[in-house]
Amino acid sequence: MTWLHCARRDVLSLHPRGDKRLPLTGVFATRSPARPNPLGLHPVTVKKIIGNRLRIGPIEAIDRTPVVDIKPVLGSQAVPTSRSRGIER
């Protein structure tokens, strides 16, 4: 989970995908990063554990985006991936 630190928090409605031909839509009905509580969910792989720090990747986020939490994916929640390598310690 990331904190989308560059996202606007004062926008409550917008044109989806910035397309002015589409009607204004509430941010909670879109995938816009502009939201009052800008949290992002991203599937990642833990690549390395160094003390109390994790090296993760790949992640679809702007450089230096704060990662605020990391959770395991369990059972049927798993996202299929071709990356099945172990964690380097």
Side-chain angles (χ1 to χ4, degrees):
M1 183 180 304
T2 58
W3 179 256
L4 304 175
H5 64 296
C6 293
R8 293 188 54 190
R9 293 191 247 315
D10 60 341
V11 175
L12 296 179
S13 61
L14 47 79
H15 298 280
R17 295 177 299 282
D19 188 341
K20 301 281 187 196
R21 296 172 297 174
L22 297 173
L24 282 173
T25 305
V27 293
F28 294 115
T30 71
R31 297 179 57 100
S32 170
R35 12 193 10 95
N37 187 9
L39 295 175
L41 296 175
H42 313 271
V44 298
T45 300
V46 176
K47 298 195 172 259
K48 196 175 206 176
I49 300 172
I50 308 164
N52 66 350
R53 299 184 67 107
L54 300 175
R55 170 100 38 200
I56 62 169
I59 185 169
E60 189 175 326
I62 297 171
D63 287 347
R64 315 287 296 166
T65 295
V67 175
V68 296
D69 198 3
I70 202 162
K71 300 280 186 209
V73 177
L74 306 172
S76 64
Q77 299 171 339
V79 177
T81 178
S82 61
R83 300 180 306 265
S84 59
R85 294 180 213 113
I87 299 171
E88 180 186 335
R89 290 190 187 261

